[in-house]
Coordinates of all heavy atoms in Angstrom, one line a residue:
V923 N -8.6 2.7 178.4 CA -8.9 3.0 179.8 C -10.2 2.3 180.2 O -10.2 1.6 181.2 CB -9.0 4.5 180.1 CG1 -9.4 4.8 181.5 CG2 -7.7 5.2 179.7
E924 N -11.2 2.5 179.5 CA -12.5 1.9 179.7 C -12.4 0.4 179.8 O -12.9 -0.3 180.7 CB -13.5 2.3 178.7 CG -14.8 1.6 178.7 CD -15.7 1.9 177.5 OE1 -15.7 3.0 177.1 OE2 -16.3 0.9 177.0
N925 N -11.8 -0.2 178.8 CA -11.7 -1.7 178.7 C -10.9 -2.3 179.8 O -11.2 -3.3 180.3 CB -11.0 -2.0 177.3 CG -11.9 -1.7 176.1 OD1 -13.1 -1.4 176.3 ND2 -11.2 -1.6 175.0
T926 N -9.8 -1.6 180.2 CA -9.0 -2.1 181.3 C -9.7 -2.1 182.6 O -9.7 -3.0 183.4 CB -7.7 -1.2 181.5 OG1 -6.9 -1.3 180.3 CG2 -6.9 -1.7 182.7
I927 N -10.4 -1.0 182.9 CA -11.1 -0.9 184.2 C -12.3 -1.9 184.2 O -12.5 -2.6 185.2 CB -11.7 0.5 184.4 CG1 -10.5 1.5 184.6 CG2 -12.6 0.6 185.6 CD1 -10.9 2.9 184.9
S928 N -12.9 -2.1 183.1 CA -14.0 -3.1 183.0 C -13.4 -4.5 183.3 O -14.0 -5.3 184.0 CB -14.6 -3.1 181.6 OG -15.2 -1.8 181.4
T929 N -12.2 -4.8 182.7 CA -11.6 -6.1 182.9 C -11.2 -6.3 184.4 O -11.4 -7.3 185.0 CB -10.3 -6.2 182.1 OG1 -10.7 -6.1 180.7 CG2 -9.6 -7.5 182.3
V930 N -10.7 -5.2 185.0 CA -10.3 -5.3 186.4 C -11.5 -5.6 187.3 O -11.5 -6.4 188.2 CB -9.6 -4.0 186.9 CG1 -9.5 -3.9 188.4 CG2 -8.2 -3.8 186.2
I931 N -12.6 -4.9 186.9 CA -13.9 -5.1 187.7 C -14.3 -6.6 187.6 O -14.7 -7.2 188.6 CB -15.0 -4.3 187.2 CG1 -14.7 -2.8 187.5 CG2 -16.4 -4.7 187.8 CD1 -15.7 -1.8 186.8
R932 N -14.2 -7.2 186.4 CA -14.6 -8.6 186.2 C -13.6 -9.6 186.9 O -14.0 -10.6 187.4 CB -14.7 -8.9 184.8 CG -15.8 -8.3 184.0 CD -16.0 -8.9 182.7 NE -14.9 -8.6 181.8 CZ -14.8 -7.5 181.0 NH1 -15.8 -6.6 181.0 NH2 -13.8 -7.4 180.2
L933 N -12.4 -9.2 187.0 CA -11.4 -10.1 187.6 C -11.6 -10.3 189.1 O -11.5 -11.4 189.6 CB -10.0 -9.6 187.3 CG -9.4 -9.9 186.0 CD1 -8.0 -9.2 185.8 CD2 -9.2 -11.4 185.7
S934 N -11.8 -9.2 189.8 CA -12.0 -9.2 191.2 C -12.6 -7.9 191.8 O -12.2 -6.9 191.3 CB -10.6 -9.5 191.9 OG -10.7 -9.4 193.3
P935 N -13.4 -8.0 192.8 CA -13.9 -6.8 193.4 C -12.9 -6.1 194.3 O -13.1 -5.0 194.6 CB -15.1 -7.3 194.2 CG -14.7 -8.7 194.5 CD -14.0 -9.2 193.3
K936 N -11.8 -6.8 194.6 CA -10.8 -6.2 195.4 C -9.5 -6.0 194.7 O -9.0 -7.0 194.1 CB -10.6 -7.0 196.7 CG -11.8 -7.2 197.6 CD -11.4 -8.0 198.8 CE -12.7 -8.1 199.7 NZ -12.3 -8.9 200.9
W937 N -8.9 -4.8 194.7 CA -7.7 -4.6 193.9 C -6.6 -5.5 194.3 O -5.8 -6.0 193.5 CB -7.3 -3.1 194.1 CG -6.0 -2.8 193.5 CD1 -4.8 -2.6 194.2 CD2 -5.7 -2.7 192.1 NE1 -3.8 -2.3 193.3 CE2 -4.3 -2.4 192.0 CE3 -6.4 -2.9 191.0 CZ2 -3.7 -2.3 190.8 CZ3 -5.8 -2.7 189.7 CH2 -4.4 -2.4 189.7
E938 N -6.5 -5.8 195.6 CA -5.3 -6.7 196.0 C -5.4 -8.1 195.5 O -4.5 -8.8 195.4 CB -5.3 -6.7 197.6 CG -6.5 -7.2 198.2 CD -7.4 -6.1 198.7 OE1 -7.4 -5.0 198.0 OE2 -8.2 -6.3 199.6
D939 N -6.7 -8.5 195.0 CA -6.9 -9.8 194.5 C -6.7 -9.8 193.0 O -6.7 -10.9 192.4 CB -8.3 -10.3 194.8 CG -8.4 -10.6 196.3 OD1 -7.4 -10.8 197.0 OD2 -9.5 -10.5 196.8
V940 N -6.6 -8.7 192.3 CA -6.5 -8.6 190.9 C -5.3 -9.3 190.4 O -5.3 -10.0 189.4 CB -6.6 -7.1 190.4 CG1 -6.2 -7.1 188.9 CG2 -7.9 -6.5 190.6
K941 N -4.2 -9.1 191.0 CA -2.9 -9.7 190.6 C -3.0 -11.2 190.6 O -2.6 -11.8 189.6 CB -1.8 -9.2 191.5 CG -0.4 -9.5 191.0 CD 0.6 -8.8 191.9 CE 2.0 -9.1 191.4 NZ 3.1 -8.4 192.1
N942 N -3.6 -11.8 191.6 CA -3.7 -13.2 191.7 C -4.6 -13.8 190.6 O -4.3 -14.8 190.0 CB -4.2 -13.6 193.1 CG -3.2 -13.4 194.2 OD1 -2.0 -13.4 193.9 ND2 -3.7 -13.1 195.4
A943 N -5.7 -13.1 190.4 CA -6.7 -13.5 189.4 C -6.1 -13.4 188.0 O -6.3 -14.3 187.2 CB -7.9 -12.6 189.5
F944 N -5.3 -12.4 187.8 CA -4.6 -12.2 186.5 C -3.6 -13.3 186.3 O -3.4 -13.7 185.2 CB -4.0 -10.8 186.5 CG -3.4 -10.5 185.2 CD1 -4.1 -10.3 184.0 CD2 -2.0 -10.4 185.0 CE1 -3.5 -10.1 182.8 CE2 -1.4 -10.1 183.8 CZ -2.2 -10.0 182.7
Q945 N -2.8 -13.6 187.3 CA -1.8 -14.7 187.2 C -2.4 -16.0 186.7 O -1.8 -16.8 186.0 CB -1.1 -14.9 188.5 CG 0.0 -13.7 188.7 CD 0.7 -14.0 190.1 OE1 0.1 -13.9 191.1 NE2 2.0 -14.2 190.0
E946 N -3.6 -16.3 187.1 CA -4.3 -17.5 186.7 C -4.5 -17.5 185.2 O -4.4 -18.5 184.5 CB -5.7 -17.6 187.4 CG -5.6 -17.9 188.9 CD -4.8 -19.1 189.2 OE1 -5.0 -20.2 188.5 OE2 -3.9 -19.1 190.1
L947 N -4.7 -16.3 184.6 CA -4.9 -16.2 183.1 C -3.6 -16.5 182.4 O -3.6 -17.2 181.4 CB -5.4 -14.8 182.7 CG -6.8 -14.4 183.2 CD1 -7.0 -12.9 182.7 CD2 -7.8 -15.3 182.6
T948 N -2.5 -16.0 183.0 CA -1.2 -16.3 182.3 C -0.8 -17.7 182.4 O -0.1 -18.2 181.5 CB -0.1 -15.4 183.0 OG1 0.1 -15.8 184.3 CG2 -0.5 -13.9 183.0
K949 N -1.2 -18.4 183.5 CA -0.9 -19.8 183.6 C -1.5 -20.7 182.5 O -1.0 -21.7 182.1 CB -1.3 -20.4 185.0 CG -0.5 -19.9 186.1 CD -1.0 -20.4 187.4 CE -0.3 -19.9 188.6 NZ -0.8 -20.3 189.9
E950 N -2.6 -20.2 182.0 CA -3.4 -20.9 181.0 C -2.9 -20.5 179.6 O -3.4 -20.9 178.6 CB -4.9 -20.6 181.1 CG -5.4 -21.1 182.4 CD -6.9 -20.6 182.6 OE1 -7.4 -20.0 181.7 OE2 -7.4 -20.8 183.7
S951 N -1.8 -19.7 179.5 CA -1.2 -19.2 178.3 C -2.2 -18.3 177.4 O -2.0 -18.1 176.3 CB -0.8 -20.4 177.4 OG 0.2 -21.1 178.1
K952 N -3.3 -17.8 178.1 CA -4.2 -17.0 177.3 C -3.6 -15.6 177.2 O -4.1 -14.8 176.4 CB -5.5 -17.0 178.1 CG -6.3 -18.3 178.0 CD -7.6 -18.2 178.7 CE -8.4 -19.5 178.6 NZ -9.7 -19.5 179.3
H953 N -2.7 -15.3 178.0 CA -2.1 -14.0 178.0 C -0.6 -14.1 178.2 O -0.1 -15.2 178.5 CB -2.7 -13.1 179.2 CG -2.4 -11.7 179.1 ND1 -2.9 -10.9 178.0 CD2 -1.7 -10.8 179.9 CE1 -2.5 -9.6 178.2 NE2 -1.7 -9.6 179.3
I954 N 0.2 -13.1 178.0 CA 1.7 -13.2 178.1 C 2.1 -13.6 179.5 O 1.3 -13.4 180.5 CB 2.3 -11.9 177.7 CG1 1.9 -10.8 178.7 CG2 2.0 -11.5 176.3 CD1 2.8 -9.5 178.7
A955 N 3.3 -14.1 179.7 CA 3.8 -14.5 181.0 C 4.2 -13.2 181.7 O 5.1 -12.5 181.2 CB 5.0 -15.4 180.8
T956 N 3.5 -12.9 182.8 CA 3.9 -11.7 183.5 C 3.1 -11.7 184.9 O 2.2 -12.5 185.0 CB 3.4 -10.4 182.8 OG1 3.8 -9.3 183.5 CG2 1.9 -10.4 182.6
T957 N 3.6 -10.9 185.8 CA 2.9 -10.8 187.1 C 2.3 -9.4 187.2 O 1.8 -9.0 188.3 CB 3.8 -11.0 188.3 OG1 5.0 -10.1 188.2 CG2 4.4 -12.5 188.3
E958 N 2.4 -8.6 186.2 CA 2.0 -7.2 186.2 C 0.6 -7.0 185.6 O 0.4 -7.2 184.4 CB 3.0 -6.4 185.4 CG 2.6 -4.9 185.2 CD 2.3 -4.2 186.6 OE1 3.2 -4.2 187.4 OE2 1.1 -3.8 186.7

């Protein structure tokens, strides 16, 4: 829980932007392919 919220904070200050920021990580193959 702690680690996830900390990651979300680092990805974007706005929740609606988290999904877009996260998708950039998946494009680089650093994380699994997903939009979730």
